[in-house]
């Protein structure tokens, strides 16, 4: 399969969408899907959080749309978590009834999707009119002209009839006033609803602006450096400037990206300190990745590959693609098997950084045949 799109239904509903499988060979029922985000390689769980273990969502029987693509309707379990960070990169893997993987591709979000949180907060015009338009108060009954005393007959009939048109005029004015207020309220409600829908839409990056999309994705997924890490980096620099006895370990042993730190710190803490280290060049980062692979720090290597590639380092993007490319793959602890779909994604990332890159173009042509 070439691409997966999550689109709204023809009759859009908050928290509901349809997975559209483009260029795939999957049909029938009994299928399931898991979703993995590239940021930390965690999988979407049934409760909407991301965990380290895959979770398979059961899909209804696939339907064929007007373009010949297979579609499956999904609810807020999948729609809401993906809309929380629309610029993140997510991979969907499809499985058959027997649990065998049928294919995978990156999930692209349509701009018109609405999360379930919008349910009830953007009522339709008809509902708004029903709920919010105030009813005009019931006019008091017109008093019957008195029949007694008979002295009324002595007065001119015009005088007795004068109050009726005045009351009619006042009642008509009040009704027009309520109608005008109702129309004004409807206009306000329609304006607020339109603003809410427009504000809730995320601008989708175009197909031709891959580099800009990847840059936004890197900014959205890049972890913020904590104050404690800044203090640790400052302390390291201070220690590096102080004179040390000759028998002390060299400064490189305690550098933020050193193997010693890699062994001592938690993965996320190491990634934050290493990527924020002053003077850390792209070439040095690739050396750190090689050292992580050699010492089987697989998650650190994958995260550094993705971080550098999404921040515009074409060598990191090509290097990560080669790890999955069936023609260039070398089995290892961190990359035990090739994966053509993932290789295509990272070659496309490299091509987004440099559209004239020969290796990325040639490998994409070969893998997409």
């Amino acid at each position: 399969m070439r691409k997966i799109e999550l689109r709204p239904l023809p009759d859009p509903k908050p928290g509901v969408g349809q997975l559209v499988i483009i260029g795939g060979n999957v049909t029938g029922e009994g299928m399931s899907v898991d979703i993995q985000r590239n940021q930390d390689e965690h999988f979407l769980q049934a409760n909407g959080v991301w965990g380290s273990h895959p979770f398979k969502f059961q899909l209804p029987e696939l339907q064929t749309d007007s373009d010949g693509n297979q579609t499956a309707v999904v609810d807020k379990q999948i729609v809401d978590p993906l809309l929380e960070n629309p610029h993140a990169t997510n991979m969907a893997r499809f499985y058959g009834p027997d649990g065998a993987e049928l294919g995978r591709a990156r999930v692209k979000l349509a701009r018109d999707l609405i999360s379930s949180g919008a349910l009830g907060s953007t009522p339709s015009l008809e509902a708004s009119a029903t709920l919010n338009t105030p009813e005009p108060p019931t006019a008091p009954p017109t008093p019957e002209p008195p029949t007694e005393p008979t002295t009324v007959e002595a007065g001119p009939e015009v005088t007795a009839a004068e109050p009726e048109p005045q009351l009619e005029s006042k009642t008509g004015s009040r009704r027009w006033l309520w109608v005008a207020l109702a129309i004004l309220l409807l206009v306000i409600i329609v304006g607020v609803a339109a603003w809410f829908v427009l504000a809730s839409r995320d601008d989708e990056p175009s197909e031709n602006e891959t580099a800009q999309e990847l840059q936004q994705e890197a900014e959205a997924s890049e972890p913020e450096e904590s104050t404690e890490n800044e203090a640790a980096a400052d302390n390291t620099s201070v220690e590096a400037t102080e004179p040390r006895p000759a028998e002390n370990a060299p400064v490189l042993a305690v550098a933020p990206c050193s193997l010693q730190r890699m062994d001592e710190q938690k993965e996320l803490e190491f990634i934050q300190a290493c990527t924020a280290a002053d003077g850390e060049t792209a070439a040095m980062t690739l050396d750190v990745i090689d050292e992580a692979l050699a010492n089987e720090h697989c998650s650190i290597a994958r995260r550094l590959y993705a971080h550098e590639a999404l921040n515009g380092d074409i060598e990191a993007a090509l290097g990560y693609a080669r790890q999955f490319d069936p023609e260039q793959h070398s089995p290892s602890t961190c990359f035990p098997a090739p994966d053509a779909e993932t290789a295509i994604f990272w070659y496309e990332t490299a091509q987004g950084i440099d559209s004239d890159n020969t290796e990325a173009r040639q490998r994409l042509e070969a893998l997409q045949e």
Side-chain angles (χ1 to χ4, degrees):
M1 57 190 65
R2 290 188 294 105
K3 186 166 54 175
I4 304 296
E5 291 188 6
L6 181 57
R7 303 174 181 172
L9 300 178
D11 180 17
K13 297 179 181 178
V16 181
Q18 58 180 349
L19 282 173
V20 182
I21 305 171
I22 301 174
N25 247 346
V26 292
T27 57
E29 57 184 4
M31 290 186 57
S32 58
V33 62
D34 66 26
I35 298 176
Q36 183 182 30
R37 66 184 181 189
N38 184 68
Q39 176 182 347
D40 53 11
E41 299 188 347
H42 281 186
F43 294 86
L44 181 61
Q45 306 295 307
N47 57 0
V49 301
W50 298 84
S52 57
H53 299 290
F55 178 84
K56 295 180 181 179
F57 294 89
Q58 294 299 316
L59 296 176
E61 183 176 359
L62 298 184
Q63 304 295 324
T64 305
D65 65 10
S66 58
D67 297 323
N69 300 318
Q70 299 298 306
T71 67
V73 176
V74 295
D75 59 16
K76 64 181 181 180
Q77 279 187 306
I78 292 178
V79 175
D80 285 2
L82 295 186
L83 286 180
E84 287 179 1
N85 188 2
H87 295 299
T89 300
N90 301 290
M91 184 78 72
R93 295 176 177 82
F94 288 84
Y95 303 88
D98 58 353
E101 182 177 332
L102 302 178
R104 64 178 69 182
R106 178 188 174 198
V107 181
K108 183 178 182 181
L109 303 183
R111 68 172 64 190
D112 295 330
L113 285 168
I114 305 174
S115 68
S116 64
L119 187 62
S121 61
T122 54
S124 65
L125 178 60
E126 182 178 351
S128 300
T130 303
L131 295 175
N132 296 305
T133 304
E135 292 291 336
T138 305
T142 306
E144 293 292 334
T147 56
E148 293 181 1
T150 56
T151 54
V152 175
E153 297 177 0
E157 292 182 7
V158 176
T159 305
E162 282 178 357
E164 291 184 9
Q166 291 177 359
L167 179 59
E168 230 174 53
S169 175
K170 290 180 179 179
T171 304
S173 299
R174 288 180 180 176
R175 287 177 180 172
W176 277 109
L177 177 61
W178 284 114
V179 171
L181 288 174
I183 292 173
L184 179 60
L185 282 173
L186 286 176
V187 171
I188 293 174
I189 290 168
V190 171
V192 171
W195 174 87
F196 182 87
V197 172
L198 290 175
S200 65
R201 293 178 182 173
D202 291 297
D203 291 336
E204 177 184 307
S206 67
E207 294 288 344
N208 297 326
E209 295 176 342
T210 310
Q212 179 180 357
E213 176 189 12
L214 293 170
Q215 182 62 31
Q216 293 174 347
E217 177 181 321
E219 293 172 357
S221 64
E222 185 175 356
E224 295 183 359
E225 182 181 1
S226 65
T227 305
E228 294 161 347
N229 285 336
E230 291 178 351
D234 291 341
N235 290 339
T236 302
S237 62
V238 171
E239 291 173 6
T241 58
E242 291 177 358
R244 295 172 178 268
E247 64 272 16
N248 283 359
V251 175
L252 291 177
V254 292
C257 298
S258 66
L259 179 60
Q260 179 179 335
R261 290 292 177 90
M262 203 182 298
D263 292 331
E264 294 173 350
Q265 294 178 318
K266 295 181 179 179
E267 291 177 0
L268 184 57
E269 184 180 355
F270 174 82
I271 297 291
Q272 289 175 334
C274 182
T275 55
D278 293 335
E280 193 69 21
T281 64
M284 291 175 63
T285 302
L286 292 177
D287 291 340
V288 175
I289 293 174
D290 291 339
E291 191 168 29
L293 292 174
N295 290 274
E296 298 185 1
H297 289 288
C298 300
S299 183
I300 288 177
R302 287 172 178 265
R303 291 187 181 188
L304 284 176
Y305 261 138
H307 179 274
E308 293 301 308
L310 295 175
N311 276 282
D313 183 355
I314 192 169
E315 291 302 325
L318 291 172
Y320 206 9
R322 295 184 196 112
Q323 297 287 0
F324 296 100
D325 191 333
E327 287 193 8
Q328 304 190 53
H329 173 76
S330 296
S332 64
T333 301
C334 296
F335 298 97
D339 187 331
E341 293 292 340
T342 305
I344 288 173
F345 174 80
W346 291 111
Y347 280 130
E348 288 177 341
T349 302
Q351 197 172 49
I353 300 171
D354 180 7
S355 59
D356 297 325
N357 184 271
T358 303
E359 179 182 356
R361 177 174 52 80
Q362 291 178 346
R363 293 310 303 145
L364 280 173
E365 290 174 356
L367 291 170
Q368 292 176 337
E369 286 180 353

